[in-house]
């Protein structure tokens, strides 16, 4: 969603801000702006639309200064216009604010400010903060920020410039991520490390209720309540190249092709071949709880939720643990039996998804152990969970999640192996399990080699406007994921269903212009899904099947087939998802969509 970048140093600030904003584009936005501090005068330039429009506005404008802040806005309060774009200022132009999050009590505050003579220029919730700073100014930026934010309800990541503190950027965090980047004679601020990774790999993640002041040569962190706090400096392990397209036409395509590596990285150092088990170091501190538990609740959203659904099948079939998978946004409405010993696992690529974070907090409040499976190192969910596992998938930039998904699957399978081996799974079964997982990267590569053939099939299907995806057991969540991938980047209507549900309603939709993608690898559920396929063909619905190499029967029944290498059914989701990602990608491309930044979507959904 919204993005923040800030710089205080010795270099010309505008190019640094613009580059930082471009690196945040993937998070989704609809307007952008910057503010530059120049000897006490603050200049603001904003525009609706893409960053190129901001660049066009800046072309030919001299904007000297070595301190500044920049923002990409994803509209919540007020349309995506230039007037609503951040930064926002007070009446006197002495305080300039950019803000991620939502101020829930802004209308009440705004009314009071207006009554006291403040003039508002935008429809945003953010603007109240600039006026509150003006009204609370007491000669010291830190205490003024404390007074102003003490009046706010809601969430914020804030970066503030003041004409009265020309060497300084003030930052404050409650519920929206913010970090500091430390350079040589320069300091950075950002909501996401990718905005500043080019300049430094040394970062400090701010925590909720932190207030930081940065100057070119220093930083100071205290709490919003006034006590000093210490935060550790950390090293970012990924290189900037992994946040670049490297010759691919889109980040999504690059990330699809990075999936063999994503599986390898998720397994690296985590497999104990001799013992036929897994070692997940991040869970060592909760080992006893995991050994004893018979109830696991997975909470997550979107694609991470679908990974959790597959996790349920694999954990339940290798342990005696009952696994529930709950949409994080619904978790609070359930009165789940969180008995002593229940373990909650939050899955989130970004580690910042507001609904998942709220579920984490609610589960913690109920007193159970909450674990995290997170890709973004240092993210809020990673920090707020008692123990966890990192994906090590590197930054995922395309809005549509791909490599994070297979990475999540890998770790869920390792978790099933670990939990299984601590129960009844034998060493030889454990070794077979590991061998199967180790074969997956090579098999994914074989499917990726067929990308051109899949593109040719996609071209024929790109003319349709409605799609059905069906699968059973392990591949039921893959049907949901295939439908989500297609709808989010192509804007075509697509529905995922458990194949067994077709007769209970959805089959009414089937007609010659409504194709079904039928996920039918060899295995226990094969015969049943073939029956579903035949029911669709009997109603003249086109069928594209995803099937196992050598399956001649399906070639006779379906209109088109994409083959995956032979693999036991329980591991098949790692493979069946790949053609569906490519299908979605190529269909969206044929339809001329903005694949990496689809309309209305944000990479990290930080509002509930
Ligand atoms: C779909 C997609 C989203 C995310 C969801 C959760 O391609 O990316 O559905 O999976 O917003 O995000 P995280 O995993 O960051 O919590």
């Amino acid at each position: 969603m919204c993005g923040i970048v800030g710089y205080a140093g010795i270099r010309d600030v505008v190019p640094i801000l613009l580059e930082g904003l471009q690196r945040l584009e993937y998070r989704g936005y609809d307007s952008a702006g910057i503010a530059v501090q120049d000897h006490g005068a603050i200049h603001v330039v904003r525009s609706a639309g893409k960053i190129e429009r901001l660049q066009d506005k800046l072309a030919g404008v001299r904007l000297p200064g070595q301190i500044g802040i920049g923002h990409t806005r994803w509209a919540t309060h007020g349309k995506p216009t230039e007037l609503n774009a951040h930064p926002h200022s007070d009446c006197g132009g002495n305080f300039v604010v950019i803000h991620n999050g939502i101020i829930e009590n802004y209308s009440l505050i705004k009314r009071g400010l207006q009554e006291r003579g403040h003039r508002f220029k935008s429809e945003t919730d953010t603007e109240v903060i600039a006026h509150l700073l003006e009204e609370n100014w007491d000669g010291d930026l830190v205490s003024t920020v404390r007074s102003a934010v003490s009046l706010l309800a809601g969430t914020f990541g804030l970066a503030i410039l003041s004409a009265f503190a020309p060497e300084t950027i003030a930052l404050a965090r409650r519920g929206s991520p913010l970090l500091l980047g430390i350079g040589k004679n320069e300091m950075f601020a950002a909501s996401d490390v990718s905005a500043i990774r080019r300049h430094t790999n040394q970062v400090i993640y701010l925590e909720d209720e932190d207030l930081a002041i940065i100057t070119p040569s220093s930083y100071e962190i205290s709490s919003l309540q006034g006590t000093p706090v210490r935060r550790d400096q950390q090293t970012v392990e990924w290189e900037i190249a992994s946040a670049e397209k490297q010759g691919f036409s889109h980040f999504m395509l690059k990330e699809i092709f990075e999936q063999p590596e994503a599986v390898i990285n998720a397994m690296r150092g985590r497999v104990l071949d001799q013992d036929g088990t897994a070692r997940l170091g991040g869970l060592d501190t909760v080992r006893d709880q995991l050994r004893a538990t018979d109830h696991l609740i997975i909470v997550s959203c979107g694609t991470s939720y679908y990974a959790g659904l597959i996790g349920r099948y694999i954990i339940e079939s290798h342990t005696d643990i009952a696994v529930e998978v709950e949409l994080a946004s619904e978790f609070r409405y359930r009165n789940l039996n969180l008995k002593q010993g229940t373990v909650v696992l939050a899955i989130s690529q970004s580690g910042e998804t507001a609904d998942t974070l709220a579920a984490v907090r609610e589960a913690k409040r109920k007193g159970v152990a909450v674990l995290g499976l997170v890709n973004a190192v240092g993210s809020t969910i990673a920090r707020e969970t008692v123990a966890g596992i990192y994906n090590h998938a590197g930054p995922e930039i395309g809005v549509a999640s791909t490599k994070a998904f297979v990475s999540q699957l890998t770790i869920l399978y390792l978790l099933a192996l670990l939990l299984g081996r601590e129960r009844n799974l034998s060493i030889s079964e454990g070794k077979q399990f590991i061998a199967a997982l180790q074969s997956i990267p090579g098999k994914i590569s074989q499917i990726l080699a067929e990308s051109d053939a899949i593109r040719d099939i996609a071209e024929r299907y790109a003319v349709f406007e409605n799609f059905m995806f069906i699968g059973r057991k392990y591949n039921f969540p893959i049907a949901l994921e295939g439908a989500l991938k297609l709808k989010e980047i192509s804007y075509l209507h697509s529905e995922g269903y458990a194949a067994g549900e077709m007769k209970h309603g959805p089959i009414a939709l089937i007609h010659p212009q409504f194709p079904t993608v039928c996920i039918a690898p060899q295995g226990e559920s094969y015969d049943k899904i073939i029956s579903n396929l035949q029911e669709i063909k009997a109603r003249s619905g086109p069928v594209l099947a995803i099937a196992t190499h050598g399956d001649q029967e399906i070639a006779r029944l379906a209109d088109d087939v994409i083959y995956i290498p032979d693999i036991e059914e329980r591991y098949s989701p790692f493979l069946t998802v790949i053609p569906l990602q490519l299908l979605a990608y190529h269909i969206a491309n044929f339809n001329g969509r903005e694949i990496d930044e689809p309309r209305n979507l944000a990479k990290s959904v930080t509002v509930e």
Side-chain angles (χ1 to χ4, degrees):
M1 292 192 139
C2 307
I4 289 176
V5 60
Y7 175 78
I10 46 177
R11 291 188 273 163
D12 198 4
V13 71
V14 174
I16 294 174
L17 295 180
L18 286 175
E19 197 247 349
L21 292 182
Q22 272 162 339
R23 298 215 179 255
L24 293 174
E25 280 191 296
Y26 79 99
R27 300 184 72 93
Y29 72 108
D30 38 46
S31 57
I34 61 168
V36 174
Q37 169 80 270
D38 181 26
H39 298 99
I42 303 175
H43 303 284
V44 173
V45 181
R46 306 177 293 180
S47 84
K50 294 287 174 193
I51 289 168
E52 291 83 70
R53 284 178 65 183
L54 182 66
Q55 281 172 317
D56 289 347
K57 281 190 86 171
L58 283 162
V61 179
R62 231 182 77 73
L63 216 52
Q66 283 95 42
I67 296 191
I69 54 179
H71 191 257
T72 46
R73 171 175 187 255
W74 191 85
T76 57
H77 297 68
K79 292 211 157 57
T81 60
E82 180 172 330
L83 273 186
N84 288 331
H86 300 205
H88 291 288
S89 1
D90 63 317
C91 303
N94 294 313
F95 296 94
V96 169
V97 176
I98 58 181
H99 165 222
N100 289 357
I102 290 180
I103 305 303
E104 286 160 8
N105 58 344
Y106 88 100
S107 53
L108 196 69
I109 297 177
K110 184 169 177 176
R111 218 172 307 130
L113 286 162
Q114 282 171 324
E115 278 162 18
R116 296 192 293 280
H118 290 264
R119 296 173 316 280
F120 278 76
K121 299 170 286 287
S122 77
E123 303 159 277
T124 64
D125 52 340
T126 302
E127 194 181 339
V128 298
I129 304 168
H131 294 278
L132 284 178
L133 290 165
E134 177 173 47
E135 197 163 86
N136 284 275
W137 175 241
D138 63 7
D140 176 66
L141 185 58
V142 171
S143 66
T144 302
V145 172
R146 280 200 187 108
S147 313
V149 302
S150 71
L151 304 169
L152 304 176
T155 55
F156 50 80
L158 292 173
I160 300 164
L161 292 181
S162 168
F164 304 131
E167 286 282 283
T168 306
I169 302 174
L171 303 152
R173 166 181 175 153
R174 180 181 293 156
S176 270
L178 263 188
L179 56 95
L180 311 184
I182 298 161
K184 205 160 171 238
N185 298 322
E186 53 187 6
M187 292 287 300
F188 302 84
S191 52
D192 174 334
V193 72
S194 50
I196 60 167
R197 176 62 191 89
R198 189 170 152 217
H199 306 287
T200 181
N201 66 354
Q202 294 302 303
V203 297
I204 294 174
Y205 295 98
L206 296 183
E207 299 198 2
D208 276 352
E209 304 300 311
D210 282 356
L211 190 166
I213 291 289
I214 61 171
T215 71
S217 56
S218 68
Y219 67 86
E220 207 174 297
I221 309 172
S222 56
S223 76
L224 285 172
Q225 290 69 37
T227 45
V229 290
R230 236 194 81 76
R231 302 281 172 235
D232 292 337
Q233 193 166 319
Q234 300 188 28
T235 303
V236 180
E237 275 163 14
W238 53 266
E239 297 299 324
I240 191 66
S242 54
E244 286 168 355
K245 284 192 200 144
Q246 297 173 333
F248 284 91
S249 45
H250 295 91
F251 279 110
M252 181 182 176
L253 192 60
K254 174 186 166 232
E255 286 157 6
I256 289 173
F257 275 81
E258 282 173 346
Q259 290 181 112
E261 201 60 29
V263 175
I264 292 167
N265 288 341
M267 287 176 69
R268 182 165 290 125
R270 289 170 167 166
V271 166
L272 300 177
D273 293 279
Q274 292 302 314
D275 300 329
T277 189
R279 181 170 181 278
L280 298 169
L283 300 184
D284 281 351
T285 54
V286 290
R287 195 85 189 260
D288 290 343
Q289 272 153 294
L290 287 174
R291 212 172 271 139
T293 193
D294 61 0
H295 187 206
L296 176 70
I297 302 176
I298 298 178
V299 289
S300 42
C301 303
T303 290
S304 297
Y305 171 71
Y306 300 148
L309 289 178
I310 297 171
R312 174 170 68 190
Y313 288 105
I314 198 75
I315 294 170
E316 284 189 343
S317 61
H318 292 80
T319 70
D320 56 355
I321 301 173
V323 184
E324 291 180 74
V325 191
E326 189 59 66
L327 286 167
S329 55
E330 290 294 313
F331 183 73
R332 73 188 63 183
Y333 308 120
R334 299 282 313 279
N335 188 15
L336 283 167
N337 179 14
L338 301 189
K339 57 187 182 196
Q340 187 77 24
T342 294
V343 172
V344 170
L345 172 68
I347 306 179
S348 176
Q349 185 286 128
S350 63
E352 302 293 350
T353 301
D355 285 318
T356 310
L357 182 58
V360 164
R361 290 179 176 161
E362 175 66 2
K364 278 169 74 177
R365 200 184 57 74
K366 291 189 168 167
V368 296
V370 185
L371 316 179
L373 167 46
V374 170
N375 189 35
V377 176
S379 58
T380 311
I381 293 172
R383 283 184 287 108
E384 292 205 11
T385 42
V386 64
I389 316 143
Y390 278 124
N391 289 96
H392 299 308
E396 189 178 65
I397 308 285
V399 162
S401 188
T402 52
K403 67 174 178 175
F405 176 76
V406 299
S407 172
Q408 288 163 346
L409 286 190
T410 310
I411 290 168
L412 287 164
Y413 275 60
L414 290 176
L415 182 62
L417 174 63
L418 173 70
L419 296 171
R421 288 285 290 123
E422 287 181 342
R423 290 168 172 77
N424 290 331
L425 200 70
S426 71
I427 187 163
S428 66
E429 286 171 313
K431 285 183 175 177
Q432 280 166 22
F433 194 105
I434 291 171
L437 285 186
Q438 286 169 335
S439 76
I440 284 169
K443 292 184 180 193
I444 294 179
S445 297
Q446 287 175 40
I447 303 170
L448 293 173
E450 300 299 317
S451 179
D452 287 351
I454 295 173
R455 188 189 54 215
D456 293 344
I457 293 176
E459 187 168 14
R460 292 202 292 283
Y461 283 79
V463 297
F464 294 108
E465 290 179 354
N466 300 288
F467 289 81
M468 180 72 74
F469 288 72
I470 57 170
R472 283 175 178 263
K473 200 175 177 183
Y474 295 103
N475 284 297
F476 156 47
I478 293 297
L480 300 177
E481 171 63 1
L484 177 65
K485 277 306 77 108
L486 183 61
K487 73 171 72 120
E488 70 179 322
I489 59 168
S490 70
Y491 318 146
L492 297 170
H493 167 231
S494 51
E495 299 196 38
Y497 261 95
E501 278 292 291
M502 284 300 281
K503 288 193 279 296
H504 301 287
I507 202 162
L509 293 169
I510 298 303
H511 61 74
Q513 296 306 313
F514 200 135
T516 298
V517 179
C518 182
I519 307 157
Q522 289 298 320
E524 182 200 344
S525 59
Y526 180 77
D527 291 342
K528 284 200 162 50
I529 197 138
I530 289 298
S531 304
N532 298 126
L533 191 163
Q534 281 169 324
E535 286 153 12
I536 291 162
K537 285 307 313 166
R539 284 150 188 90
S540 307
V543 170
L544 164 59
I546 312 296
T548 307
H549 266 303
D551 183 347
Q552 300 302 331
E553 183 189 350
I554 209 159
R556 282 191 293 277
L557 297 171
D559 298 273
D560 292 283
V561 186
I562 300 174
Y563 285 108
I564 59 162
D566 191 16
I567 196 160
E568 224 187 293
E569 188 179 17
R570 61 182 150 155
Y571 307 106
S572 63
F574 285 95
L575 306 188
T576 49
V577 75
I578 311 293
L580 301 191
Q581 295 166 342
L582 287 167
L583 184 73
Y585 172 81
H586 291 304
I587 289 180
N589 216 9
F590 282 120
N591 281 290
R593 306 298 190 213
E594 286 188 76
I595 290 176
D596 283 334
E597 295 155 38
R599 71 180 180 206
N600 305 339
L601 292 182
K603 182 65 185 162
S604 168
V605 184
T606 49
V607 294
E608 289 180 7

